[in-house]
Amino acid sequence: MASPSPGIDWIKARALMAREREVFAGRHPRSHALSQRAERHLLYGVPLHWMIDWPTPFSLFVESARGARFRDVDGHECVDFCLGDTGAMFGHAPEPVARAVAAQCAKGFTTMLPSEDAAVVGELLAARFGLPCWQFAMTASDANRFVIRWARAITGRDKVLVFNGCYHGTVDDVFVDLVDGQPVARASLLGQVYDPREHTVVVEFNDLGALERALAAGDIACVLAEPALTNIGMVLPDPGYWQAARQIIERHGALLVIDETHTISTGPGGYSQAHGLAPDMFVLGKPVGGGVPCAVYGFTDTVAARMKQAKSSAVPGHSGIGTTLTANMLAMAAMRANLEAVMTDGAYRHMFILAERLATGLREAIAQHQLPWCVTQLGARTEFQFTPTPPRNGSEADAILNTELEQLIHLYLLNRGVLITPFHNMMLVCPETTAADVDHLIASFGGCLAELAQPVENQP
C-alpha cells in the first residue's frame, strides 16, 4: 500500500510523470522499434518478464556497458547506479575479468571437470570470508536452494525460517510474508501448488522474542537471512541484534545461513566479516564473478563433516544439488580474476567515499525541501526512503513503499542520464564511479524534488 507521501504536490507530480514519459518516448525511437519487434516473439517483448518493471513507456535497449556507464541503442550514455541490481556491483565488464574470460574462451567453456582456477578460487574464498569449505552454483537462487537442502539433510528437520520482506531469489520456500502478524503465502507467486507455510516459518526482522519463540519448537533446520534486508527497502539490524540472534539460533540447534548477495556492499568480506557474524553457511551470488553468472556457498568444517556423512549415508544417485553447468571453466576464470584484482580493499575504499558523498547530498536535497524522508547507507549501497526514520522490519518497510512516486523519480533521473534500481530507491557506486557522476545524480534528484514538492511554506 502506498504511503500518502506528505510534502508532494500530486497534481504537479502526475503532470510531471506524463511529461517525462513523452520525453523518454521522443528520445528513444530505436528502443521503441526494437520493443515492438521483440513483442512478436518475446513474452511482453523482453527476455524476462520483470524487465518491464522499469517506469518507461517501453523497454530501453542497451548497446554496450563498461565501467559505471552504459550506452543505449539510441546513442544516449547513462551513468548506472543500478549496476544490474548488484550483478555488476564492481562495474560493467571489469578489465581483469574481461581478459580472463576472453582467455578462457579459447581454452574451453565447460567440461564437468575442475580447472586449476577451481583450486585457486577455493583458497581465495576461504581467505576472504573465513569459511574453509566451498561449493558452487550458477545463481544465488540455486545456491540458496542447495544450502536449504543440505541443512535439511544434516539436521533431519524440514522447516526453514526467514524474515518478513527478505529476498533470496526465486526459492519457493522464502515466499511467505507476514500480513497483520499472520503468515501468508505471497499472492504474486505464480504456479505455486503447495502451501509454503507447511515448511517455512516467517518472523519480523529485529524481533528477538519472535525468533526465540519460532525456534523453540525444534523443527527448524536453518535460519536463512540477509544480514540487512535489502529488497523491500533497506532495513538495518538493531545494535547487538545479530550477536543475540546468533546465540538463540545456536541454542536451538538450527544452522545460520547468511546470504550476502546484496550486502557484499558492506566490505571485501561482506557484512559477516565486518561484524563478526560467524555463519554456519554463507551464500554469495551475482557480484562474485564480476557479472558472469555464478554463485558460491561456503560452510564450516563441522558442517562439511555433517554434509559428507549425509551424502555417504544416502542411497547412490542424483542428490538434487548442482546443475551441469555449475562451476564451469568460464565462471571459475571470472571469479578468480574478480576476487584477485577487482574486489580489492582499494576498490571498496573508493566506493565508500563516494557512497557517503551520495548519502550526504541526498540528505541535503531532502532537507532543502523539508520532506519527511530519510537516507540509509550500507557500505557502497545507498537508498532514500519515504519515512522520517528508517524502518526496523519488513512490515514497516512495506508500509512506506510508494510505487507511483518511485517510478516518477526513477524516470525523471533516467531522462537526465542516471539509472537507479527500478524497485524502491536503491543506488550503488562501483570502482569506476566518479565524484562527478555522484554530483550529477544529486543535482538531478534535487531538480526532481524542486518540481514535485509542495512549496515549503505550504507544507503542514
Side-chain angles (χ1 to χ4, degrees), residues 151-181:
R152 287 170 169 158
I154 67 179
T155 64
R157 300 175 176 185
D158 70 329
K159 290 188 178 179
V160 175
L161 185 145
V162 297
F163 292 101
N164 186 34
C166 69
Y167 178 73
H168 301 290
T170 59
V171 180
D172 290 358
D173 302 78
V174 306
F175 287 98
V176 181
D177 299 321
L178 284 177
V179 178
D180 297 326

Side-chain angles (χ1 to χ4, degrees), residues 155-161 201 211-222 248-255:
T155 64
R157 300 175 176 185
D158 70 329
K159 290 188 178 179
V160 175
L161 185 145
V201 175
L211 179 64
E212 178 90 58
R213 290 189 296 274
L215 289 166
D219 56 357
I220 291 173
C222 68
I248 293 170
I249 293 165
E250 186 173 356
R251 184 164 64 248
H252 290 287
L255 300 174

Side-chain angles (χ1 to χ4, degrees), residues 42 203 283 358 374 411 436 438-439 442:
L42 302 181
V203 300
V283 171
L358 175 57
C374 67
L411 182 56
V438 170
D439 292 345
I442 293 168

Side-chain angles (χ1 to χ4, degrees), residues 56-256:
T56 55
F58 49 83
S59 295
L60 180 67
F61 281 71
V62 174
E63 178 184 84
S64 61
R66 179 63 65 101
R69 290 167 167 74
F70 69 85
R71 182 175 295 275
D72 68 37
V73 295
D74 288 286
H76 305 298
E77 187 174 84
C78 195
V79 183
D80 191 357
F81 289 89
C82 172
L83 295 170
D85 188 25
T86 312
M89 195 184 94
F90 301 103
H92 296 289
E95 188 61 34
V97 176
R99 286 198 310 269
V101 170
Q104 186 60 51
C105 281
K107 298 188 292 183
F109 303 164
T110 185
T111 60
M112 288 182 64
L113 291 167
S115 61
E116 180 181 336
D117 288 335
V120 176
V121 169
E123 293 166 354
L124 291 169
L125 291 170
R128 179 179 290 256
F129 297 110
L131 288 165
C133 301
W134 293 85
Q135 288 282 270
F136 299 86
M138 286 298 293
T139 67
S141 293
D142 279 346
N144 282 316
R145 289 188 186 94
F146 299 161
V147 296
I148 288 172
R149 190 178 289 273
W150 278 117
R152 287 170 169 158
I154 67 179
T155 64
R157 300 175 176 185
D158 70 329
K159 290 188 178 179
V160 175
L161 185 145
V162 297
F163 292 101
N164 186 34
C166 69
Y167 178 73
H168 301 290
T170 59
V171 180
D172 290 358
D173 302 78
V174 306
F175 287 98
V176 181
D177 299 321
L178 284 177
V179 178
D180 297 326
Q182 297 301 312
V184 175
R186 192 169 301 173
S188 62
L189 185 58
L190 293 174
Q192 184 66 31
V193 296
Y194 70 87
D195 189 340
R197 293 175 298 179
E198 296 175 7
H199 302 287
T200 301
V201 175
V202 59
V203 300
E204 292 286 12
F205 195 59
N206 280 321
D207 188 337
L208 291 170
L211 179 64
E212 178 90 58
R213 290 189 296 274
L215 289 166
D219 56 357
I220 291 173
C222 68
V223 174
L224 174 59
E226 303 169 275
L229 300 185
T230 61
N231 210 60
I232 196 166
M234 276 205 289
V235 180
L236 303 183
D238 289 342
Y241 172 76
W242 273 117
Q243 288 71 25
R246 186 72 183 91
Q247 295 175 6
I248 293 170
I249 293 165
E250 186 173 356
R251 184 164 64 248
H252 290 287
L255 300 174
L256 174 59

Side-chain angles (χ1 to χ4, degrees), residues 21-49:
R21 287 174 66 85
E22 290 180 4
V23 169
F24 180 88
R27 283 168 49 86
H28 296 93
R30 180 150 172 74
S31 275
H32 191 197
L34 283 172
S35 184
Q36 291 177 318
R37 176 181 175 184
E39 284 180 356
R40 293 198 292 269
H41 299 291
L42 302 181
L43 185 66
Y44 296 110
V46 286
L48 285 172
H49 68 85

